[in-house]
Amino acid sequence: MTSTGIRLHAPAPGWSITADVVVVGSGVAGLTTALRCDAAGLRTVVVTKARLDDGSTRWAQGGIAAALGEGDTPEQHLDDTLVAGAGLCDEDAVRILVTEGPDAVRRLIETGAHFDESEGGGLELTREGGHHRRRIAHAGGDATGAEISRALVEAVRARGLRTVENALVLDLLTDADGGTAGVTLHVMGEGQHDGVGAVHAPAVVLATGGMGQVFSATTNPSVSTGDGVALALRAGAEVSDLEFVQFHPTVLFLGPDAEGQQPLVSEAVRGEGAHLVDAHGERFMVGQHELAELAPRDIVAKGIMRRMQEQGAEHMYLDARHFGAHMWEHRFPTILAACRAHGIDPVTEPVPVAPAAHYASGGVRTDSRGRTTVPGLYACGEVACTGVHGANRLASNSLLEGLVYAERIAADIADRHEQDRREESRGEKDPHKEARPGVPSPVDRPAKPAHPLLAAEARFAIQRIMTDGAGVLRSAASLETAADRLQRLHSEARDALDENGKTAEPGVDTWEATNLLCVARVLVAAARLRAETRGCHWREDRGERDDTDWRRHIVVRLNPDRTLAVHTTDTPDFPPTLPQARDVVRAGGTPSPSPQEQ
């Protein structure tokens, strides 16, 4: 896979540091990768967009799923995951998740994370949507993510890992053979460096989280602007299944004009017995699925939207008044505080809820070791598409995926580093390869910017376009309108650059808006192509699942002219990411073509 040559318009790096691996992101995926790489003796740098503890992980309320309870097995966890994924999960990837997951959670506990325990002293496990057993470990009642983040951040600081905070990563650096050589980044005034710089490293791990800010209302923090997916596309990587954006069914409804990050009402509330009701107090999920309110999230979100349409309502209600004050205060203190902050007391009244963008099941395509189609570039967590989630993520599998695949990525990087070190010590190092364990030299930046920047205010236009045309309910007509409006934004920025060389002023706001447009175009292109309803992709005009034509993946690449190359796989299985291509190229040969290029 070759680079597109496209980079964001930005000043040349004014400073640089070197490492064996740079991890971009400080959630469970990024910090676990960094800790494991550091333990393997690799010079590791963590780059994060805000503070170390400001990523999406700390907002996770429900918990982390693993077969840790009596009578539960990885096979049962696998079955629930495959059902939720609606025929598009990679079964091998899921098997890795569920079999390696329990020990990964135990190692997380050894790192310092404290989970809630039962009176008997074992883990207190609960249920969430799609799970047939109690297998969700939680902390602080509904503050699981915050506790995991705390433990990992403390471990990173205790080990003295080098970190660059408040830094937006811009683009991947590559060497003359197309291999990874590091990243460029911009520190936003509060980090240890200032302005645009670079981290030179032969391995880059994207753990940048999601892209929820592409929609007007989301549970994601403001930093979730799809930066990792956009960077990977510009670097020539493939992304897959981006049309499968999970809309969490129960997000606190703050009004029809509410925008930005919205408070989540965890699925664990339903797991403990809360009911979804309409304005008349009627439970509408009963009879729609055997698990009623605990059906997989796509089914619950659709049930809510259907009842809203039938009744002309803007929201439904979550009724947990029967919990009583004690349970609310001790099991769900974070949610209780959020509701009361907005004038709602769930102890005495039902909570108004509606679906909002929550999680990207698709992302940068990887193999079982987190390797992308770009040599030396890895992806982990929500930014990645490992095949675990399929068309709809099973509740509380995301934290587990971050743990399990972070450990696999760190092991792969350490193995490759050690192999190169041994070859070099024996004098067997291929002269066409970079002198590892040193750092490869990046190729020069283009003489002029190859990618126009959008004005900062375009962010809000993109969010409105996506919410109107590619939200929970989609159709051929709505997606066509969204595609046309996005293309207009893209063309206006491109034409301005081509005609007079002008583009928006480089800065965090314009880089984020440009990244959002990139991921929005890919999402809409994939959603238009997938002419069926599957998982969390709901087409009103194609309401049935079509396994004959659509039990396959949609893969997208960015062409050098900034158009999109979109194709489907021939089967539900992903083609290989061809990690061996790097070694073939540097040995003077030609890599085998990928299946879609043959």
Side-chain angles (χ1 to χ4, degrees):
M1 195 63 62
T2 58
S3 172
T4 64
I6 302 172
R7 293 183 181 175
L8 290 174
H9 179 31
W15 52 270
S16 66
I17 55 180
T18 60
D20 295 317
V21 55
V22 54
V23 178
V24 187
S26 60
V28 62
L31 295 188
T32 300
T33 303
L35 287 167
R36 297 294 181 268
C37 285
D38 180 72
L42 299 171
R43 296 172 297 167
T44 304
V45 173
V46 177
V47 175
T48 186
K49 195 172 179 181
R51 305 294 294 178
L52 277 181
D53 60 354
D54 279 344
S56 293
T57 290
R58 76 180 182 95
W59 297 99
Q61 294 175 345
I64 184 167
L68 295 162
E70 183 178 354
D72 197 6
T73 65
E75 198 69 25
Q76 294 176 67
H77 189 181
L78 180 141
D79 289 343
D80 285 345
T81 301
L82 295 180
V83 170
L88 280 186
C89 293
D90 182 311
E91 187 167 340
D92 291 338
V94 178
R95 195 170 297 281
I96 288 170
L97 179 84
V98 300
T99 56
E100 298 182 11
D103 284 342
V105 173
R106 295 183 184 103
R107 284 187 289 273
L108 179 62
I109 293 172
E110 292 171 1
T111 301
H114 302 292
F115 291 95
D116 295 340
E117 297 182 350
S118 64
E119 293 182 0
L123 288 176
E124 183 179 57
L125 302 175
T126 188
R127 281 182 67 194
E128 291 187 8
H131 294 273
H132 283 78
R133 284 191 174 272
R134 286 183 171 266
R135 65 168 65 98
I136 316 299
H138 52 84
D142 58 358
T144 309
E147 170 58 18
I148 291 173
S149 180
R150 179 205 62 78
L152 292 174
V153 168
E154 286 188 4
V156 164
R157 287 175 174 157
R159 294 189 69 95
L161 267 70
R162 189 166 191 176
T163 62
V164 183
E165 298 179 273
N166 301 298
L168 171 63
V169 167
L170 302 176
D171 281 303
L172 189 74
L173 294 172
T174 54
D175 62 18
D177 294 323
T180 295
V183 292
T184 56
L185 64 156
H186 172 80
V187 177
M188 296 176 270
E190 297 181 13
Q192 64 189 90
H193 300 286
D194 190 23
V196 174
V199 181
H200 296 152
V204 171
V205 182
L206 296 177
T208 51
M211 55 182 191
Q213 290 292 325
V214 79
F215 295 96
S216 296
T218 177
T219 63
N220 290 189
S222 61
V223 295
S224 298
T225 51
D227 307 318
V229 171
L231 176 151
L233 284 163
R234 290 192 296 272
E238 294 180 349
V239 302
S240 185
D241 299 351
L242 220 61
E243 69 272 29
F244 296 117
V245 175
Q246 186 178 84
F247 287 78
H248 197 288
T250 54
V251 175
L252 186 62
F253 181 75
L254 301 181
D257 299 322
E259 295 183 340
Q261 186 178 10
Q262 312 287 303
L264 176 67
V265 182
S266 170
E267 196 147 348
V269 178
R270 282 174 282 136
E272 296 291 356
H275 303 144
L276 282 165
V277 298
D278 60 20
H280 306 294
E282 181 180 346
R283 289 181 64 187
F284 54 86
M285 286 303 301
V286 176
Q288 292 197 36
H289 190 275
E290 61 172 338
L291 296 177
E293 284 92 353
L294 285 178
R297 288 178 176 174
D298 63 308
I299 294 172
V300 179
K302 291 171 188 175
I304 292 173
M305 293 299 297
R306 286 193 184 103
R307 184 55 65 101
M308 287 167 55
Q309 287 179 322
E310 291 169 3
Q311 299 186 343
E314 295 178 324
H315 61 82
M316 291 287 109
Y317 293 93
L318 189 65
D319 191 352
R321 290 174 290 179
H322 55 285
F323 284 5
H326 179 79
M327 183 172 179
W328 269 111
E329 290 166 359
H330 289 82
R331 179 66 177 88
F332 301 111
T334 306
I335 299 170
L336 178 63
C339 289
R340 286 177 169 170
H342 292 282
I344 301 160
D345 189 350
V347 176
T348 60
E349 61 184 315
V351 178
V353 294
H358 182 58
Y359 192 90
S361 293
V364 184
R365 191 166 75 79
T366 73
D367 65 9
S368 63
R369 286 180 277 182
R371 298 176 296 190
T372 74
T373 51
V374 173
L377 179 65
Y378 297 76
C380 190
E382 189 173 356
V383 71
C385 183
T386 62
V388 160
H389 304 309
N392 183 47
R393 175 178 67 95
L394 180 65
S396 287
N397 268 357
S398 54
L399 292 174
L400 189 70
E401 183 195 33
L403 273 183
V404 169
Y405 281 87
E407 292 185 344
R408 296 178 71 84
I409 287 171
D412 189 73
I413 295 172
D415 288 347
R416 295 180 68 186
H417 185 87
E418 178 62 19
Q419 179 182 354
D420 284 341
R421 190 192 65 78
R422 289 177 179 174
E423 289 178 359
E424 189 172 7
S425 67
R426 294 195 301 262
E428 299 174 356
K429 187 78 172 177
D430 193 291
H432 292 86
K433 292 184 181 181
E434 79 277 355
R436 284 199 205 167
V439 179
S441 298
V443 296
D444 292 337
R445 301 171 70 250
K448 64 178 183 178
H451 200 303
L453 299 180
L454 271 70
E457 55 268 24
R459 175 178 184 142
F460 305 106
I462 294 166
Q463 291 172 334
R464 288 190 292 270
I465 291 168
M466 294 299 289
T467 298
D468 292 342
V472 181
L473 302 177
R474 302 167 178 175
S475 67
S478 75
L479 290 166
E480 181 180 5
T481 298
D484 289 344
R485 294 172 68 189
L486 293 172
Q487 182 61 36
R488 194 173 307 125
L489 289 174
H490 175 76
S491 298
E492 288 171 356
R494 178 199 62 202
D495 294 344
L497 181 65
D498 292 343
E499 292 172 6
N500 53 37
K502 291 184 178 180
T503 186
E505 188 69 22
V508 173
D509 290 344
T510 57
W511 289 321
E512 285 185 336
T514 303
N515 285 339
L516 284 171
L517 178 61
C518 179
V519 298
R521 292 177 65 219
V522 174
L523 192 162
V524 169
R528 293 182 73 186
L529 184 59
R530 184 171 292 281
E532 64 159 354
T533 287
R534 181 185 297 271
C536 52
H537 171 67
W538 186 8
R539 286 279 298 261
E540 292 180 283
D541 56 328
R542 299 292 180 95
E544 300 299 322
R545 172 170 155 176
D546 180 359
D547 281 346
T548 301
D549 292 331
W550 286 110
R551 191 165 176 251
R552 59 193 66 197
H553 303 277
I554 296 176
V555 179
V556 183
R557 288 184 300 174
L558 188 63
N559 292 321
D561 64 357
R562 301 191 292 275
T563 59
L564 301 177
V566 185
H567 75 275
T568 61
T569 59
D570 294 329
T571 71
D573 300 322
F574 280 127
T577 58
L578 301 178
Q580 72 274 18
R582 177 176 204 166
D583 292 339
V584 173
V585 169
R586 287 182 178 154
T590 302
S592 301
S594 59
Q596 65 269 20
E597 293 172 336
Q598 290 180 335

